[in-house]
């Protein structure tokens, strides 16, 4: 089942499935930061109000805003 990255909770692991409709510049930014389709990651922290979300991906920490995370479709592992 595919959900968005913003639907995940702290400690969950997932794999990037696809990107929803977003600007091409924003999509390129996510790809440059290592969120390519097939990449596995873990949600390390979610701020109390759900924004931002901190991920462990490819050996580094990455923080995304909630609206940015909503553009990334993932599958839970």
């Amino acid at each position: 089942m595919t959900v968005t990255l913003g639907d995940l909770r702290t400690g969950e692991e997932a794999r990037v499935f696809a990107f929803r409709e977003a600007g091409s510049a924003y999509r390129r930014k996510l790809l440059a930061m290592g969120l390519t389709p097939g990449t596995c990651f873990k949600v390390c922290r979610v701020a109390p109000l759900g924004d931002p979300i901190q991920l462990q991906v490819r050996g580094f920490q990455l923080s995304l805003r909630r609206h940015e995370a909503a553009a990334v479709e993932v599958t839970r592992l």
Side-chain angles (χ1 to χ4, degrees):
M1 180 175 164
T2 305
V3 296
T4 67
L5 196 156
D7 296 329
L8 300 178
R9 296 183 180 156
T10 301
E12 286 191 289
E13 295 184 21
R15 181 185 316 258
V16 176
F17 180 72
F19 295 95
R20 291 189 171 172
E21 289 296 322
S24 63
Y26 176 65
R27 184 174 186 268
R28 279 194 305 264
K29 176 182 167 187
L30 291 175
L31 291 170
M33 289 190 295
L35 284 179
T36 57
T39 300
C40 296
F41 62 88
K42 181 178 181 179
V43 177
C44 297
R45 294 182 194 163
V46 178
L49 298 177
D51 191 22
I53 299 169
Q54 185 176 8
L55 310 174
Q56 175 74 35
V57 57
R58 298 181 186 254
F60 66 93
Q61 304 278 316
L62 174 66
S63 293
L64 296 176
R65 293 287 186 189
R66 187 185 326 193
H67 72 277
E68 295 171 331
V72 182
E73 293 182 359
V74 301
T75 53
R76 287 186 168 106
L77 298 179

